[in-house]
Amino acid sequence: LLGQADESLTRQMLAACASFAREHRASYLLIEDLEHNDPLFSAAESLNRDGFRLFSPTGIQERLKIEFPPNPADYWAKFSSKTRNTFKRKQKKIGATRLVRVTEPGQIAEFLETAHAISLRTWQSDKLGLRIHTNAQERRFFTFLATQQSLRSYLLFVDEQPAAFLFGTQHKGLFSYEEVGYDREFSDRSPGQVLLVQVLEDLLKDNPPRVFDFGGGAADYKQLFATTTSTSGNVW
């Protein structure tokens, strides 16, 4: 919470948030995608004595991560030669690509416009609602991340057409995989995997994080790339 590892401070801050929620007659306080072994989870449990109840609407689920080796480039050794060749074939099949890394405030307007346009054509938007917006609130949020040097997002162009986006953050050695989507027009050319491989290559060659956190859920592609697991869930 607030980027601090001090468990006492975490408990004080959460108690203050909970009191604020109670004073304003909120139905619940949401802690999104909280890891079960995080000190914040035990802090939330400790609020039981103050009359709060803990509930996870999604239940505790598997959470996949990549913990990069001391020499980050050695990560690729975890894959068989057959799998590495498959990555190369998919890269060749998709055509000419261009990966754009987005970290600076001056890139945000173009990133949001492009990612929003892609998002309108993704399966996630059909099933879960639009993932990327272009409103003032979204711009403020992304600008804040960029000014804190914590934004690390990507756009993938195929034959100079916007094909896929990844909204990610990187802070204190942790890369968080927040949102991803691709234009269904490219779905027969594995744009999601091509994007992920290129993003990993970029991460490993320039300011590599210690950990790549896929977030909640255990999709097959996450299992392919992950090296370690934990558990997490939404907590009310």
Side-chain angles (χ1 to χ4, degrees):
L1 192 66
L2 301 184
Q4 297 293 330
D6 185 321
E7 189 167 343
S8 174
L9 177 60
T10 295
R11 288 176 179 266
Q12 291 178 60
M13 289 300 304
L14 182 61
C17 291
S19 295
F20 180 86
R22 171 180 277 162
E23 289 165 6
H24 288 75
R25 301 184 182 278
S27 300
Y28 60 87
L29 174 68
L30 166 65
I31 307 174
E32 192 172 22
D33 203 15
L34 179 62
E35 288 198 76
H36 192 252
N37 63 354
D38 193 297
L40 187 56
F41 194 98
S42 60
E45 288 183 316
S46 73
L47 290 173
N48 287 338
R49 62 175 177 264
D50 295 325
F52 290 92
R53 290 180 297 160
L54 213 61
F55 174 66
S56 180
T58 58
I60 302 301
Q61 302 174 329
E62 186 176 19
R63 184 188 191 94
L64 295 161
K65 300 178 181 180
I66 302 169
E67 289 187 356
F68 292 113
N71 178 12
D74 291 343
Y75 167 69
W76 298 111
K78 98 178 203 73
F79 299 99
S80 67
S81 58
K82 180 179 179 181
T83 300
R84 293 195 297 269
N85 286 333
T86 298
F87 293 157
K88 292 176 183 177
R89 284 198 303 272
K90 289 182 176 180
Q91 173 67 63
K92 187 175 181 179
K93 178 181 178 182
I94 201 171
T97 60
R98 178 168 62 93
L99 185 71
V100 177
R101 185 202 302 171
V102 178
T103 58
E104 301 298 325
Q107 298 175 283
I108 289 170
E110 182 180 359
F111 172 78
L112 290 178
E113 289 291 341
T114 305
H116 174 76
I118 296 169
S119 187
L120 291 170
R121 299 169 64 85
T122 64
W123 68 263
Q124 291 98 327
S125 288
D126 285 348
K127 293 186 177 182
L128 305 173
L130 193 62
R131 315 311 291 164
I132 299 289
H133 300 270
T134 57
N135 55 35
Q137 181 180 356
E138 196 92 320
R139 290 194 299 273
R140 284 195 300 270
F141 175 59
F142 276 77
T143 300
F144 171 76
L145 290 173
T147 57
Q148 298 300 308
Q149 298 182 323
S150 295
L151 180 67
R152 191 163 185 173
S153 297
Y154 294 88
L155 293 169
L156 180 71
F157 293 84
V158 175
D159 296 327
E160 291 305 317
Q161 295 183 62
F165 71 87
L166 188 156
F167 162 37
T169 62
Q170 186 169 327
H171 183 70
K172 293 185 177 180
L174 174 67
F175 181 88
S176 296
Y177 183 82
E178 301 285 357
E179 292 284 351
V180 65
Y182 62 82
D183 186 332
R184 285 173 295 187
E185 178 185 337
F186 300 92
S187 58
D188 62 339
R189 290 186 269 173
S190 307
Q193 188 178 99
V194 170
L195 170 64
L196 181 53
V197 168
Q198 291 196 17
V199 166
L200 287 170
E201 289 174 341
D202 184 75
L203 288 171
L204 292 172
K205 75 182 180 183
D206 187 5
N207 187 24
R210 290 179 293 101
V211 176
F212 183 113
D213 187 349
F214 279 109
D220 289 346
Y221 77 93
K222 294 181 181 181
Q223 295 189 39
L224 173 63
F225 288 91
T227 63
T228 187
T229 64
S230 63
T231 54
S232 68
N234 290 342
V235 173
W236 294 357

